Amino acid sequence: MESLRKHIGKVVPLDRAHIDTDAIIPKQFLKRIERSGFGQFLFYEWRFDEAGQPNPDFVLNYPIYQGASILLARENFGCGSSREHAPWSLADYGFRVVIAPSFADIFYNNCFQNGMLPLVLPEKQVQELFERAKEHESYQLTVDVENLVVTDNFGLKYTFELDPYRQHCLVNGLDFIGLTLQHEDKITQYEKTKQLQY
Amino acid sequence: MSTKRTLFDKIWDSHIVHQESGKPSLLYIDLHLIHEVTSPQAFEGLRLAGRSIRRPDLTVATVDHNIPTTDRSLPIADPISRQQIETLRENCQNHKITLYDLDSRNQGIVHVIGPELGLTLPGKTIVCGDSHTSTHGAFGALAFGIGTSEVEHVMATQCLPQSKPKTMEVHFKGKLPYGVTAKDVVLHLINQIGTAGATGYVIEYTGEAIRQMSMEERMTICNMSIEAGARAGMIAPDETTFSYLLGRKHSPKDKEWETAVAAWKELATDDDAIYDTRVEIDVTEIAPQVTWGTSPGMGADITQLVPNPASFETSTEQKAAELALQYMGLTAGTPMAEIAIDRVFIGSCTNSRIEDLRAAAEVVAGYQVAATVQAMVVPGSQQVKEQAETEGLHQIFLDAGFEWREAGCSMCLGMNPDIIQPGERCASTSNRNFEGRQGRGGRTHLVSPVMAAAAAIEGHFVDIRNWKFNRKEKADGVTS
C-alpha cells in the first residue's frame, strides 16, 4: 500500500452533510470486477447531467478546483453501503485526504486500506476551513500525518488526533494482511483449541 | 475490571486470537458470506499476492445484488452483470467455496439465506462485504459489514484486526401498538438518535418489545442498525431464536444441538453489566412511519406533516432538509398521508421474509392496486418464494395487480434492471432513501410492508391503523 506521510494539496469544499456512498459512487458502476478506474464515476449523478455532460454547477467541475486532492465536507461523510468502490473512486480521482467533522464507520476503515486519510476535525475548525477555501483561490493545506498537524499558507495550524496504530500503518504503507499473517501460528492454535465447532 | 459482561463482550472476548497493547485485537471470523459485487477484487488481490483462502469451509457465497428478478431460464442480458456472476462462479469453483447460484433452491439475499440455512448462529462472528450484515445480530451473533480489502483479509487469514467498539443499549419498553411494526420501531429509533447516532457503537436491543418479536422482526431491527451508524446490532438469543433455528440445514443436530443451546443460553448480557451508553424508547408512543427525505433519519409519523426545514436545530441540518425536500419534490406542511406514489417495492434484506409477505398480503387481499401505481413483490430468497407460493400469497398479490418476482436485492439498490424513473415516487420496504438509490432522480419513501401494501392500493400513503381488511378472520396479521 502507498504510504502517506505528508500531503500538500488543493482543497475543494463540498458543503453537504451525510454524503452517502451511493452519492460517491452510484450502483451502476459497481459491476466492474477491477479495483481501478473508478475516478471517472465519482459523484456521478451530481457531476454529470442525464446526457453525461459535466454539470457546471457542481463544485468539483469548477475550473478553480481542478487538481484538488483534499476534499472538505460536513458530518457523517461516507454513510451507507460498505462498498470500497467509494474510497477507490475518491483515490482514483486524486484525493488523498478527506476532511469532515465525522465519518461513517465502514467508510472510515476502508480509507486506511487504500492509503487515504479520513481526517476528523471539530465542526468549528471545519467551518473555518470552508470559509478560508471560499476566501482564497486555490486554497492549499499541508497535512502532516507523522506529526498530526494541518497547516495552511496563512498561519492556520490545527492539530488532529489519529489512532497511533492507524497512523503507523498509513505512514509506513503497511500491508494489513501481511501483518496478520505474522500471527499465523496463533490462528492455527485458535482453530485447534477455541474455534466454534458448529 | 468488572466481571459482568454484555452479550457483545462475551463474543468479542471468545474470538480474540491475538492481542497487543495499543493495537487492534485480532478476531477470529466464524462465517464469511460473500456475493458477486464486493468479492471479485478480493479474489484478484489474493491471486496477485499468491495467497490462498484459509477456510473455504467457513465461506459461503450467493448471488443477489445485480441479478435479474425475472425469468431465471433466460441468460443475463447485461454483459457486465453477467461477467460479475461468472467471475464469482469461477472463483468459487477454483477455491472450493459453496455457492448458492441462480438455479439453487437456496439462492437469495445473503442476509436472508444465512439465517434460513442455519448458517447464522448465536455466538458467531459473521462478516460480509455488505453493510446490512448487521441483520445476523438478531440471533445473538456479532455480525458486521466490511469493505473489499477486509474481505480479502478474511479470505487469507480467517481473521480481522478490529478496534473494540463501544456498547449501546437500546431498550424498547412496552408492547407494540396495533399497526406498528418492527420497521416503524427502527425508523423511529433512527429518527430519534440520528443516522450517526450510534457511530462507534455496537447496539444491543433489549426490552419487552424485543422479547415479543419474532426472528423476522428482530432481523428487521438489526438490519437497519447500520442506518443509525452502528457497527452492529445484536439481540440476546432466547427460546424464539432456538425454535427458529431447530432443524435448519446447517443448525447443529442431536447431541450437538443440546450442547449448543446450553452454550447459547450463557451469551445473554449479565445482570448489572454496564453499557457505555443507553437509550430508552417507549414503543407504545410509536406510530406508523414514512420517510420524507433522503436519509433514513428523515422520517415522520403518518399523521404528521412534511416538516419545515427551518424547524431543524443546526444550519447544517436545515440545509440538508432543504436539499432533501427539493430532491423529493415535496413542500413543507403537506400531510404525509396526502403524498401520492407511483411505485411500490416490497422486498430487500430488511423486509422480504415470509412474515413480511404474509402481512402485506393480508392488506392487499381482495383489493386492486391503484391504476396510477406499479407495484412489485420480490421475495428475499427462493425458499421464501416457495413458502409464499405454498400458502397462496403470490396469487393474492397477482390478483391485486402486483408483479411477483424471483429472489434478489432488486429495487432496493437498483443494480439490476429493477429501477424507478426520474421523478417517480416509490413506497419501499427497503432500508435507504438516498438520492438516486432506486434509480437516478427516483424518490424513495421508506415504510413497513403493511404501509407499502396499503399505499399500493390507495395510490398514496394511508394510516394502516384505519385499514379495512377484506378478510376479517385474518385481520390480526397486521401486527405480526
Side-chain angles (χ1 to χ4, degrees):
Chain A
M1 195 179 70
E2 206 180 331
S3 68
L4 184 66
R5 286 169 192 275
K6 187 191 250 188
H7 180 74
I8 302 170
K10 197 198 281 185
V11 178
V12 55
L14 180 50
D15 195 355
R16 281 184 83 130
H18 309 292
I19 293 176
D20 58 73
T21 53
D22 275 85
I24 298 171
I25 180 84
K27 70 271 179 171
Q28 62 267 36
F29 307 114
L30 307 186
K31 297 175 189 172
R32 297 156 61 94
I33 56 172
E34 302 85 14
R35 208 181 260 261
S36 55
F38 286 96
Q40 56 188 315
F41 310 123
L42 176 69
F43 295 123
Y44 193 85
E45 319 267 303
W46 292 342
R47 229 169 108 206
F48 301 100
D49 64 18
E50 275 168 49
Q53 294 305 308
N55 166 14
D57 297 329
F58 184 58
V59 70
L60 253 69
N61 290 333
Y62 294 6
I64 51 166
Y65 294 126
Q66 298 315 298
S69 60
I70 299 176
L71 182 66
L72 185 61
R74 301 288 183 179
E75 68 200 48
N76 201 24
F77 188 91
C79 57
S81 141
S82 65
R83 59 187 72 164
E84 197 164 318
H85 311 68
W88 292 341
S89 61
L90 286 162
D92 190 54
Y93 181 88
F95 288 115
R96 296 300 308 276
V97 179
V98 183
I99 301 176
S102 58
F103 290 89
D105 204 36
I106 305 178
F107 175 84
Y108 188 80
N109 277 333
N110 283 342
C111 284
F112 290 98
Q113 305 282 348
N114 293 281
M116 269 174 64
L117 176 65
L119 201 172
V120 179
L121 287 177
E123 218 159 306
K124 254 186 150 168
Q125 296 182 355
V126 170
Q127 177 59 28
E128 175 67 27
L129 293 180
F130 267 102
E131 282 165 21
R132 286 182 180 232
K134 245 182 241 167
E135 196 182 328
H136 307 286
E137 199 169 313
S138 290
Y139 183 64
Q140 275 202 347
L141 285 173
T142 300
V143 179
D144 183 341
V145 187
E146 278 187 298
N147 296 303
L148 304 177
V149 178
V150 183
T151 49
D152 73 2
N153 300 328
F154 309 94
L156 176 142
K157 184 176 176 184
Y158 292 148
T159 55
F160 61 95
E161 286 176 18
L162 184 61
D163 171 75
Y165 184 69
R166 289 195 193 273
Q167 180 192 20
H168 171 75
C169 292
L170 195 56
V171 164
N172 295 295
L174 297 180
D175 162 25
F176 290 99
I177 298 179
L179 289 174
T180 293
L181 286 173
Q182 288 174 4
H183 304 295
E184 206 168 355
D185 54 333
K186 295 202 173 77
I187 302 173
T188 305
Q189 186 61 28
Y190 182 94
E191 286 173 332
K192 277 187 189 151
T193 56
K194 287 191 183 166
Q195 194 203 328
L196 290 178
Q197 293 309 313
Y198 40 80
Chain B
M1 196 178 104
S2 162
T3 52
K4 306 290 185 190
R5 295 186 301 164
T6 63
L7 164 66
F8 164 76
D9 293 326
K10 293 179 189 183
I11 300 177
W12 181 272
D13 292 349
S14 66
H15 286 81
I16 295 176
V17 169
H18 179 67
Q19 180 77 65
E20 277 173 66
S21 80
K23 290 188 182 175
S25 308
L26 191 61
L27 286 192
Y28 198 78
I29 303 302
D30 295 316
L31 175 64
H32 187 195
L33 300 166
I34 61 173
H35 62 85
E36 76 275 21
V37 175
T38 57
S39 68
Q41 293 88 351
F43 279 110
E44 180 65 4
L46 276 190
R47 194 184 64 78
L48 290 173
R51 289 168 178 150
S52 59
I53 299 210
R54 183 177 179 90
R55 294 297 299 267
D57 58 322
L58 302 181
T59 313
V60 176
T62 193
V63 288
D64 56 3
H65 277 64
N66 88 26
I67 55 168
T69 52
T70 45
D71 191 347
R72 288 277 149 92
S73 61
L74 299 171
I76 298 173
D78 176 356
I80 317 177
S81 290
R82 194 168 63 227
Q83 187 192 20
Q84 210 171 43
I85 302 289
E86 281 165 3
T87 304
L88 182 66
R89 281 178 189 146
E90 243 168 70
N91 283 327
C92 287
Q93 198 170 9
N94 292 343
H95 295 278
K96 299 190 169 48
I97 293 168
T98 302
L99 167 67
Y100 295 114
D101 206 343
L102 273 182
D103 56 359
S104 166
R105 276 188 64 196
N106 294 324
Q107 178 269 338
I109 304 175
V110 65
H111 310 309
V112 176
I113 69 166
E116 193 171 77
L117 296 170
L119 289 162
T120 303
L121 296 173
K124 274 191 178 180
T125 47
I126 301 173
V127 297
C128 174
D130 188 279
S131 60
H132 291 110
T133 308
S134 58
T135 312
H136 307 264
F139 290 80
L142 175 59
F144 51 91
I146 56 178
T148 296
S149 296
E150 290 175 312
V151 168
E152 184 182 336
H153 200 123
V154 177
M155 284 174 171
T157 69
Q158 204 57 34
C159 293
L160 263 188
Q162 288 286 301
S163 303
K164 194 172 183 178
K166 290 179 282 185
T167 54
M168 173 187 286
E169 179 187 16
V170 173
H171 185 84
F172 291 120
K173 71 171 189 190
K175 287 182 184 156
L176 282 191
Y178 175 79
V180 176
T181 68
K183 182 64 163 288
D184 302 302
V185 170
V186 73
L187 282 172
H188 175 81
L189 170 71
I190 298 162
N191 178 265
Q192 294 297 299
I193 69 173
T195 50
T199 301
Y201 290 92
V202 165
I203 299 176
E204 182 183 343
Y205 300 99
T206 63
E208 186 186 2
I210 290 290
R211 286 300 135 209
Q212 289 183 342
M213 282 183 189
S214 65
M215 289 317 298
E216 281 84 352
E217 293 173 293
R218 294 178 188 185
M219 283 189 258
T220 299
I221 301 267
C222 287
N223 173 275
M224 288 194 72
S225 303
I226 182 73
E227 261 58 64
R231 189 94 184 103
M234 309 175 84
I235 292 172
D238 58 10
E239 291 304 327
T240 306
T241 321
F242 309 145
S243 55
Y244 177 98
L245 289 172
L246 183 64
R248 303 244 164 211
K249 184 176 162 86
H250 292 279
S251 290
K253 304 280 178 312
D254 308 322
K255 186 95 181 136
E256 223 183 21
W257 170 259
E258 314 271 309
T259 317
V261 171
W264 296 341
K265 285 181 176 168
E266 298 299 313
L267 287 169
T269 294
D270 297 329
D271 292 341
D272 304 324
I274 294 167
Y275 299 90
D276 293 302
T277 189
R278 186 173 193 272
V279 173
E280 186 171 289
I281 287 181
D282 181 352
V283 300
T284 63
E285 289 171 5
I286 300 177
Q289 301 287 300
V290 181
T291 64
W292 50 265
T294 52
S295 162
M298 293 173 169
D301 296 353
I302 179 65
T303 51
Q304 291 178 318
L305 311 176
V306 173
N308 188 334
S311 67
F312 290 89
E313 269 175 37
T314 66
S315 62
T316 308
E317 293 304 327
Q318 287 171 4
K319 189 178 173 200
E322 263 168 43
L323 286 170
L325 289 190
Q326 201 181 336
Y327 179 84
M328 293 295 287
L330 289 174
T331 312
T334 307
M336 296 301 292
E338 280 179 18
I339 299 172
I341 51 150
D342 311 295
R343 305 287 287 260
V344 170
F345 170 61
I346 297 179
S348 88
C349 58
T350 312
N351 281 128
S352 64
R353 298 179 180 82
I354 191 66
E355 278 194 1
D356 299 315
L357 304 194
R358 284 177 189 146
E362 287 302 327
V363 172
V364 165
Y367 285 106
Q368 285 295 311
V369 169
T372 50
V373 173
Q374 192 186 336
M376 68 194 278
V377 181
V378 184
S381 69
Q382 291 301 335
Q383 280 199 36
V384 168
K385 180 168 185 266
E386 215 175 284
Q387 178 64 29
E389 288 176 352
T390 306
E391 296 177 20
L393 304 182
H394 68 308
Q395 208 52 55
I396 295 175
F397 287 117
L398 287 167
D399 288 349
F402 278 82
E403 291 177 50
W404 178 250
R405 297 292 189 91
E406 302 290 331
C409 298
S410 179
M411 202 188 270
C412 172
L413 83 165
M415 269 196 79
N416 73 350
D418 307 339
I419 55 168
I420 60 178
Q421 299 306 310
E424 278 190 330
R425 197 177 288 290
C426 181
S428 179
T429 67
S430 56
N431 40 56
R432 288 185 178 136
N433 49 355
F434 297 153
E435 280 188 23
R437 171 85 176 176
Q438 295 191 292
R440 184 173 184 138
R443 295 159 173 168
T444 305
H445 295 270
L446 304 176
V447 286
S448 73
V450 288
M451 286 286 284
I457 306 302
E458 294 297 327
H460 59 86
F461 293 111
V462 291
D463 191 336
I464 193 65
R465 294 172 297 189
N466 305 326
W467 191 251
K468 190 173 163 298
F469 287 85
N470 266 338
R471 293 205 314 195
K472 281 203 163 18
E473 75 278 13
K474 295 269 185 76
D476 287 340
V478 70
T479 53
S480 68

